[in-house]
PDB file of all heavy atoms in Angstrom:
ATOM      1  N   SER J   4     -38.252-163.437 -33.475  1.00 40.00           N
ATOM      2  CA  SER J   4     -37.964-162.448 -32.516  1.00 40.00           C
ATOM      3  C   SER J   4     -38.469-161.040 -32.941  1.00 40.00           C
ATOM      4  O   SER J   4     -38.608-160.161 -32.226  1.00 40.00           O
ATOM      5  CB  SER J   4     -36.522-162.210 -32.428  1.00 40.00           C
ATOM      6  OG  SER J   4     -35.952-161.822 -33.730  1.00 40.00           O
ATOM      7  N   ALA J   5     -38.931-160.826 -34.304  1.00 40.00           N
ATOM      8  CA  ALA J   5     -39.509-159.704 -34.799  1.00 40.00           C
ATOM      9  C   ALA J   5     -40.748-159.394 -34.017  1.00 40.00           C
ATOM     10  O   ALA J   5     -41.033-158.330 -33.655  1.00 40.00           O
ATOM     11  CB  ALA J   5     -39.678-159.773 -36.232  1.00 40.00           C
ATOM     12  N   PRO J   6     -41.823-160.367 -33.924  1.00 41.00           N
ATOM     13  CA  PRO J   6     -42.995-159.881 -33.136  1.00 41.00           C
ATOM     14  C   PRO J   6     -42.793-159.917 -31.713  1.00 41.00           C
ATOM     15  O   PRO J   6     -43.662-159.229 -31.136  1.00 41.00           O
ATOM     16  CB  PRO J   6     -43.870-161.053 -33.468  1.00 41.00           C
ATOM     17  CG  PRO J   6     -43.096-162.306 -33.940  1.00 41.00           C
ATOM     18  CD  PRO J   6     -41.836-161.668 -34.550  1.00 41.00           C
ATOM     19  N   SER J   7     -41.719-160.396 -31.117  1.00 42.00           N
ATOM     20  CA  SER J   7     -41.551-160.331 -29.740  1.00 42.00           C
ATOM     21  C   SER J   7     -41.259-158.808 -29.265  1.00 42.00           C
ATOM     22  O   SER J   7     -41.647-158.499 -28.138  1.00 42.00           O
ATOM     23  CB  SER J   7     -40.342-161.141 -29.288  1.00 42.00           C
ATOM     24  OG  SER J   7     -39.124-160.675 -29.802  1.00 42.00           O
ATOM     25  N   ALA J   8     -40.703-157.907 -30.181  1.00 41.00           N
ATOM     26  CA  ALA J   8     -40.501-156.702 -29.842  1.00 41.00           C
ATOM     27  C   ALA J   8     -41.783-155.814 -29.584  1.00 41.00           C
ATOM     28  O   ALA J   8     -42.081-155.221 -28.645  1.00 41.00           O
ATOM     29  CB  ALA J   8     -39.694-155.997 -30.767  1.00 41.00           C
ATOM     30  N   PRO J   9     -42.790-155.950 -30.544  1.00 41.00           N
ATOM     31  CA  PRO J   9     -44.014-155.242 -30.340  1.00 41.00           C
ATOM     32  C   PRO J   9     -44.771-155.726 -29.170  1.00 41.00           C
ATOM     33  O   PRO J   9     -45.512-155.043 -28.500  1.00 41.00           O
ATOM     34  CB  PRO J   9     -44.803-155.524 -31.539  1.00 41.00           C
ATOM     35  CG  PRO J   9     -43.729-155.887 -32.695  1.00 41.00           C
ATOM     36  CD  PRO J   9     -42.702-156.606 -31.917  1.00 41.00           C
ATOM     37  N   ILE J  10     -44.612-157.150 -28.817  1.00 42.00           N
ATOM     38  CA  ILE J  10     -45.428-157.723 -27.626  1.00 42.00           C
ATOM     39  C   ILE J  10     -44.886-157.019 -26.329  1.00 42.00           C
ATOM     40  O   ILE J  10     -45.644-156.743 -25.492  1.00 42.00           O
ATOM     41  CB  ILE J  10     -45.297-159.180 -27.668  1.00 42.00           C
ATOM     42  CG1 ILE J  10     -46.040-159.769 -28.776  1.00 42.00           C
ATOM     43  CG2 ILE J  10     -45.780-159.838 -26.387  1.00 42.00           C
ATOM     44  CD1 ILE J  10     -45.783-161.345 -28.948  1.00 42.00           C
ATOM     45  N   SER J  11     -43.522-156.920 -26.308  1.00 41.00           N
ATOM     46  CA  SER J  11     -43.019-156.395 -25.008  1.00 41.00           C
ATOM     47  C   SER J  11     -43.280-154.990 -25.014  1.00 41.00           C
ATOM     48  O   SER J  11     -43.374-154.402 -23.856  1.00 41.00           O
ATOM     49  CB  SER J  11     -41.509-156.801 -24.981  1.00 41.00           C
ATOM     50  OG  SER J  11     -40.781-156.068 -26.076  1.00 41.00           O
ATOM     51  N   SER J  12     -43.342-154.312 -26.073  1.00 42.00           N
ATOM     52  CA  SER J  12     -43.531-152.836 -26.090  1.00 42.00           C
ATOM     53  C   SER J  12     -45.049-152.509 -25.842  1.00 42.00           C
ATOM     54  O   SER J  12     -45.378-151.395 -25.383  1.00 42.00           O
ATOM     55  CB  SER J  12     -43.153-152.240 -27.453  1.00 42.00           C
ATOM     56  OG  SER J  12     -43.987-152.779 -28.380  1.00 42.00           O
ATOM     57  N   ALA J  13     -45.980-153.515 -25.874  1.00 42.00           N
ATOM     58  CA  ALA J  13     -47.424-153.219 -25.656  1.00 42.00           C
ATOM     59  C   ALA J  13     -47.594-152.862 -24.263  1.00 42.00           C
ATOM     60  O   ALA J  13     -48.269-151.788 -23.958  1.00 42.00           O
ATOM     61  CB  ALA J  13     -48.204-154.306 -26.155  1.00 42.00           C
ATOM     62  N   PRO J  14     -47.240-153.769 -23.154  1.00 41.00           N
ATOM     63  CA  PRO J  14     -47.384-153.241 -21.715  1.00 41.00           C
ATOM     64  C   PRO J  14     -46.895-151.973 -21.514  1.00 41.00           C
ATOM     65  O   PRO J  14     -47.302-151.121 -20.632  1.00 41.00           O
ATOM     66  CB  PRO J  14     -46.836-154.416 -21.058  1.00 41.00           C
ATOM     67  CG  PRO J  14     -46.673-155.454 -22.003  1.00 41.00           C
ATOM     68  CD  PRO J  14     -46.543-154.889 -23.348  1.00 41.00           C
ATOM     69  N   SER J  15     -45.606-151.667 -22.000  1.00 42.00           N
ATOM     70  CA  SER J  15     -44.865-150.421 -21.640  1.00 42.00           C
ATOM     71  C   SER J  15     -45.625-149.197 -22.155  1.00 42.00           C
ATOM     72  O   SER J  15     -45.509-148.233 -21.537  1.00 42.00           O
ATOM     73  CB  SER J  15     -43.465-150.409 -22.245  1.00 42.00           C
ATOM     74  OG  SER J  15     -43.486-150.363 -23.668  1.00 42.00           O
ATOM     75  N   SER J  16     -46.422-149.342 -23.137  1.00 42.00           N
ATOM     76  CA  SER J  16     -47.224-148.261 -23.642  1.00 42.00           C
ATOM     77  C   SER J  16     -48.306-147.861 -22.608  1.00 42.00           C
ATOM     78  O   SER J  16     -48.701-146.753 -22.558  1.00 42.00           O
ATOM     79  CB  SER J  16     -47.931-148.376 -24.915  1.00 42.00           C
ATOM     80  OG  SER J  16     -48.687-149.613 -24.718  1.00 42.00           O
ATOM     81  N   LYS J  17     -48.827-148.816 -21.762  1.00 45.00           N
ATOM     82  CA  LYS J  17     -49.704-148.599 -20.741  1.00 45.00           C
ATOM     83  C   LYS J  17     -49.064-148.019 -19.378  1.00 45.00           C
ATOM     84  O   LYS J  17     -49.796-147.580 -18.564  1.00 45.00           O
ATOM     85  CB  LYS J  17     -50.453-149.882 -20.361  1.00 45.00           C
ATOM     86  CG  LYS J  17     -51.082-150.441 -21.524  1.00 45.00           C
ATOM     87  CD  LYS J  17     -52.014-151.754 -21.110  1.00 45.00           C
ATOM     88  CE  LYS J  17     -52.708-152.294 -22.391  1.00 45.00           C
ATOM     89  NZ  LYS J  17     -53.423-153.468 -21.961  1.00 45.00           N
ATOM     90  N   ALA J  18     -47.752-148.161 -19.295  1.00 41.00           N
ATOM     91  CA  ALA J  18     -47.006-147.783 -18.196  1.00 41.00           C
ATOM     92  C   ALA J  18     -47.367-146.343 -17.712  1.00 41.00           C
ATOM     93  O   ALA J  18     -47.621-145.989 -16.571  1.00 41.00           O
ATOM     94  CB  ALA J  18     -45.503-148.003 -18.215  1.00 41.00           C
ATOM     95  N   PRO J  19     -47.328-145.257 -18.752  1.00 42.00           N
ATOM     96  CA  PRO J  19     -47.338-143.869 -18.273  1.00 42.00           C
ATOM     97  C   PRO J  19     -48.861-143.553 -17.809  1.00 42.00           C
ATOM     98  O   PRO J  19     -49.153-142.535 -17.138  1.00 42.00           O
ATOM     99  CB  PRO J  19     -47.242-143.178 -19.705  1.00 42.00           C
ATOM    100  CG  PRO J  19     -46.444-144.148 -20.453  1.00 42.00           C
ATOM    101  CD  PRO J  19     -46.885-145.432 -20.153  1.00 42.00           C
ATOM    102  N   ALA J  20     -49.850-144.555 -17.890  1.00 47.00           N
ATOM    103  CA  ALA J  20     -51.146-144.163 -17.480  1.00 47.00           C
ATOM    104  C   ALA J  20     -51.185-143.989 -15.901  1.00 47.00           C
ATOM    105  O   ALA J  20     -50.629-144.864 -15.124  1.00 47.00           O
ATOM    106  CB  ALA J  20     -52.048-145.271 -17.832  1.00 47.00           C
ATOM    107  N   SER J  21     -51.705-142.866 -15.544  1.00 47.00           N
ATOM    108  CA  SER J  21     -51.720-142.550 -14.117  1.00 47.00           C
ATOM    109  C   SER J  21     -52.842-143.278 -13.377  1.00 47.00           C
ATOM    110  O   SER J  21     -54.005-143.409 -13.848  1.00 47.00           O
ATOM    111  CB  SER J  21     -51.772-141.065 -13.877  1.00 47.00           C
ATOM    112  OG  SER J  21     -52.926-140.687 -14.395  1.00 47.00           O
ATOM    113  N   LYS J  22     -52.573-143.673 -12.072  1.00 43.00           N
ATOM    114  CA  LYS J  22     -53.638-144.302 -11.282  1.00 43.00           C
ATOM    115  C   LYS J  22     -54.566-143.279 -10.672  1.00 43.00           C
ATOM    116  O   LYS J  22     -54.160-142.137 -10.410  1.00 43.00           O
ATOM    117  CB  LYS J  22     -53.002-145.136 -10.230  1.00 43.00           C
ATOM    118  CG  LYS J  22     -52.207-146.316 -10.696  1.00 43.00           C
ATOM    119  CD  LYS J  22     -51.519-147.113  -9.563  1.00 43.00           C
ATOM    120  CE  LYS J  22     -50.671-148.214  -9.989  1.00 43.00           C
ATOM    121  NZ  LYS J  22     -50.201-148.972  -8.887  1.00 43.00           N
ATOM    122  N   PRO J  23     -55.745-143.593 -10.584  1.00 44.00           N
ATOM    123  CA  PRO J  23     -56.761-142.709 -10.029  1.00 44.00           C
ATOM    124  C   PRO J  23     -56.416-142.422  -8.509  1.00 44.00           C
ATOM    125  O   PRO J  23     -55.874-143.220  -7.841  1.00 44.00           O
ATOM    126  CB  PRO J  23     -58.110-143.367  -9.989  1.00 44.00           C
ATOM    127  CG  PRO J  23     -57.776-144.776 -10.306  1.00 44.00           C
ATOM    128  CD  PRO J  23     -56.422-144.818 -10.964  1.00 44.00           C
ATOM    129  N   LYS J  24     -56.419-141.039  -8.214  1.00 43.00           N
ATOM    130  CA  LYS J  24     -55.985-140.792  -6.722  1.00 43.00           C
ATOM    131  C   LYS J  24     -57.237-141.166  -5.801  1.00 43.00           C
ATOM    132  O   LYS J  24     -58.363-141.177  -6.020  1.00 43.00           O
ATOM    133  CB  LYS J  24     -55.869-139.290  -6.723  1.00 43.00           C
ATOM    134  CG  LYS J  24     -54.783-138.714  -7.498  1.00 43.00           C
ATOM    135  CD  LYS J  24     -54.534-137.310  -7.319  1.00 43.00           C
ATOM    136  CE  LYS J  24     -53.321-136.768  -8.138  1.00 43.00           C
ATOM    137  NZ  LYS J  24     -53.186-135.258  -8.023  1.00 43.00           N
ATOM    138  N   THR J  25     -56.786-141.686  -4.607  1.00 35.00           N
ATOM    139  CA  THR J  25     -57.698-142.018  -3.485  1.00 35.00           C
ATOM    140  C   THR J  25     -58.166-140.717  -2.944  1.00 35.00           C
ATOM    141  O   THR J  25     -57.608-139.823  -2.687  1.00 35.00           O
ATOM    142  CB  THR J  25     -56.875-142.728  -2.493  1.00 35.00           C
ATOM    143  OG1 THR J  25     -56.283-143.933  -3.096  1.00 35.00           O
ATOM    144  CG2 THR J  25     -57.794-143.303  -1.394  1.00 35.00           C
ATOM    145  N   PRO J  26     -59.614-140.774  -2.769  1.00 38.00           N
ATOM    146  CA  PRO J  26     -60.260-139.573  -2.086  1.00 38.00           C
ATOM    147  C   PRO J  26     -59.581-139.351  -0.720  1.00 38.00           C
ATOM    148  O   PRO J  26     -59.148-140.168   0.011  1.00 38.00           O
ATOM    149  CB  PRO J  26     -61.698-139.926  -1.977  1.00 38.00           C
ATOM    150  CG  PRO J  26     -61.761-141.056  -2.980  1.00 38.00           C
ATOM    151  CD  PRO J  26     -60.526-141.741  -3.073  1.00 38.00           C
ATOM    152  N   GLY J  27     -59.384-137.944  -0.496  1.00 33.00           N
ATOM    153  CA  GLY J  27     -58.807-137.393   0.656  1.00 33.00           C
ATOM    154  C   GLY J  27     -59.757-137.481   1.850  1.00 33.00           C
ATOM    155  O   GLY J  27     -60.927-138.000   1.818  1.00 33.00           O
ATOM    156  N   PRO J  28     -59.514-136.872   2.964  1.00 35.00           N
ATOM    157  CA  PRO J  28     -60.249-136.840   4.142  1.00 35.00           C
ATOM    158  C   PRO J  28     -61.499-135.886   4.036  1.00 35.00           C
ATOM    159  O   PRO J  28     -62.417-135.922   4.901  1.00 35.00           O
ATOM    160  CB  PRO J  28     -59.389-136.233   5.267  1.00 35.00           C
ATOM    161  CG  PRO J  28     -58.331-135.391   4.511  1.00 35.00           C
ATOM    162  CD  PRO J  28     -58.109-136.223   3.190  1.00 35.00           C
ATOM    163  N   THR J  29     -61.609-135.201   2.820  1.00 39.00           N
ATOM    164  CA  THR J  29     -62.817-134.425   2.549  1.00 39.00           C
ATOM    165  C   THR J  29     -64.038-135.185   2.010  1.00 39.00           C
ATOM    166  O   THR J  29     -65.056-134.683   1.870  1.00 39.00           O
ATOM    167  CB  THR J  29     -62.568-133.282   1.622  1.00 39.00           C
ATOM    168  OG1 THR J  29     -62.111-133.856   0.395  1.00 39.00           O
ATOM    169  CG2 THR J  29     -61.338-132.368   2.187  1.00 39.00           C
ATOM    170  N   ALA J  30     -63.855-136.542   1.905  1.00 38.00           N
ATOM    171  CA  ALA J  30     -64.993-137.246   1.376  1.00 38.00           C
ATOM    172  C   ALA J  30     -65.954-137.411   2.439  1.00 38.00           C
ATOM    173  O   ALA J  30     -65.822-137.090   3.623  1.00 38.00           O
ATOM    174  CB  ALA J  30     -64.483-138.744   0.898  1.00 38.00           C
ATOM    175  N   GLY J  31     -67.261-137.906   2.022  1.00 42.00           N
ATOM    176  CA  GLY J  31     -68.212-138.077   2.931  1.00 42.00           C
ATOM    177  C   GLY J  31     -69.247-136.856   3.003  1.00 42.00           C
ATOM    178  O   GLY J  31     -69.543-136.342   1.848  1.00 42.00           O
ATOM    179  N   PRO J  32     -69.474-136.268   4.068  1.00 47.00           N
ATOM    180  CA  PRO J  32     -70.264-135.126   4.158  1.00 47.00           C
ATOM    181  C   PRO J  32     -69.597-133.845   3.613  1.00 47.00           C
ATOM    182  O   PRO J  32     -70.373-132.760   3.513  1.00 47.00           O
ATOM    183  CB  PRO J  32     -70.648-134.969   5.698  1.00 47.00           C
ATOM    184  CG  PRO J  32     -69.454-135.678   6.329  1.00 47.00           C
ATOM    185  CD  PRO J  32     -69.067-136.684   5.459  1.00 47.00           C
ATOM    186  N   SER J  33     -68.417-133.853   3.260  1.00 47.00           N
ATOM    187  CA  SER J  33     -67.765-132.592   2.714  1.00 47.00           C
ATOM    188  C   SER J  33     -68.305-132.268   1.277  1.00 47.00           C
ATOM    189  O   SER J  33     -68.217-133.234   0.543  1.00 47.00           O
ATOM    190  CB  SER J  33     -66.297-132.636   2.811  1.00 47.00           C
ATOM    191  OG  SER J  33     -65.893-132.912   4.184  1.00 47.00           O
ATOM    192  N   SER J  34     -68.402-131.080   0.986  1.00 55.00           N
ATOM    193  CA  SER J  34     -68.819-130.768  -0.519  1.00 55.00           C
ATOM    194  C   SER J  34     -68.589-129.240  -0.609  1.00 55.00           C
ATOM    195  O   SER J  34     -68.807-128.378   0.262  1.00 55.00           O
ATOM    196  CB  SER J  34     -70.275-131.171  -0.803  1.00 55.00           C
ATOM    197  OG  SER J  34     -70.730-130.650  -2.017  1.00 55.00           O
ATOM    198  N   PRO J  35     -68.149-128.841  -1.937  1.00 57.00           N
ATOM    199  CA  PRO J  35     -68.050-127.548  -2.234  1.00 57.00           C
ATOM    200  C   PRO J  35     -69.433-126.794  -2.251  1.00 57.00           C
ATOM    201  O   PRO J  35     -69.490-125.562  -1.998  1.00 57.00           O
ATOM    202  CB  PRO J  35     -67.442-127.477  -3.686  1.00 57.00           C
ATOM    203  CG  PRO J  35     -66.798-128.914  -3.775  1.00 57.00           C
ATOM    204  CD  PRO J  35     -67.565-129.708  -2.981  1.00 57.00           C
ATOM    205  N   ALA J  36     -70.524-127.627  -2.368  1.00 64.00           N
ATOM    206  CA  ALA J  36     -71.810-127.020  -2.322  1.00 64.00           C
ATOM    207  C   ALA J  36     -72.207-126.412  -0.924  1.00 64.00           C
ATOM    208  O   ALA J  36     -73.121-125.706  -0.722  1.00 64.00           O
ATOM    209  CB  ALA J  36     -72.916-128.072  -2.762  1.00 64.00           C
ATOM    210  N   ALA J  37     -71.385-126.865   0.050  1.00 67.00           N
ATOM    211  CA  ALA J  37     -71.622-126.415   1.350  1.00 67.00           C
ATOM    212  C   ALA J  37     -71.424-124.970   1.507  1.00 67.00           C
ATOM    213  O   ALA J  37     -72.047-124.316   2.514  1.00 67.00           O
ATOM    214  CB  ALA J  37     -70.740-127.151   2.287  1.00 67.00           C
ATOM    215  N   GLU J  38     -70.738-124.180   0.634  1.00 70.00           N
ATOM    216  CA  GLU J  38     -70.403-122.846   0.829  1.00 70.00           C
ATOM    217  C   GLU J  38     -71.725-122.039   0.618  1.00 70.00           C
ATOM    218  O   GLU J  38     -71.727-120.945   1.246  1.00 70.00           O
ATOM    219  CB  GLU J  38     -69.536-122.413  -0.403  1.00 70.00           C
ATOM    220  CG  GLU J  38     -68.180-123.053  -0.415  1.00 70.00           C
ATOM    221  CD  GLU J  38     -67.220-122.645   0.878  1.00 70.00           C
ATOM    222  OE1 GLU J  38     -67.559-121.556   1.329  1.00 70.00           O
ATOM    223  OE2 GLU J  38     -66.329-123.330   1.123  1.00 70.00           O
ATOM    224  N   GLY J  39     -72.626-122.646   0.082  1.00 85.00           N
ATOM    225  CA  GLY J  39     -74.053-121.801   0.061  1.00 85.00           C
ATOM    226  C   GLY J  39     -74.988-122.104   1.209  1.00 85.00           C
ATOM    227  O   GLY J  39     -76.118-121.601   1.205  1.00 85.00           O
ATOM    228  N   LEU J  40     -74.599-122.924   2.126  1.00 94.00           N
ATOM    229  CA  LEU J  40     -75.339-123.344   3.214  1.00 94.00           C
ATOM    230  C   LEU J  40     -75.272-122.317   4.365  1.00 94.00           C
ATOM    231  O   LEU J  40     -74.197-121.723   4.650  1.00 94.00           O
ATOM    232  CB  LEU J  40     -75.118-124.817   3.648  1.00 94.00           C
ATOM    233  CG  LEU J  40     -75.417-125.875   2.559  1.00 94.00           C
ATOM    234  CD1 LEU J  40     -74.889-127.105   3.053  1.00 94.00           C
ATOM    235  CD2 LEU J  40     -76.862-125.900   2.235  1.00 94.00           C
ATOM    236  N   PRO J  41     -76.300-122.398   5.320  1.00 95.00           N
ATOM    237  CA  PRO J  41     -75.965-121.622   6.548  1.00 95.00           C
ATOM    238  C   PRO J  41     -74.964-122.169   7.451  1.00 95.00           C
ATOM    239  O   PRO J  41     -74.634-123.404   7.367  1.00 95.00           O
ATOM    240  CB  PRO J  41     -77.450-121.632   7.211  1.00 95.00           C
ATOM    241  CG  PRO J  41     -78.150-122.802   6.661  1.00 95.00           C
ATOM    242  CD  PRO J  41     -77.533-122.984   5.295  1.00 95.00           C
TER     243      PRO J  41
END
């Protein structure tokens, strides 16, 4: 049972990792570089 504790704790250490956010509606032709365009 001693090694079982580290095994179960291994996945929990990955839990706080945040998922990448899905791009919003500004994807595609939208870009901050557009500010310098006519």
Side-chain angles (χ1 to χ4, degrees):
S4 64
S7 65
I10 292 173
S11 62
S12 62
S15 62
S16 63
K17 297 180 181 180
S21 59
K22 295 181 180 179
K24 295 182 179 180
T25 304
T29 60
S33 300
S34 170
E38 295 296 339
L40 296 175

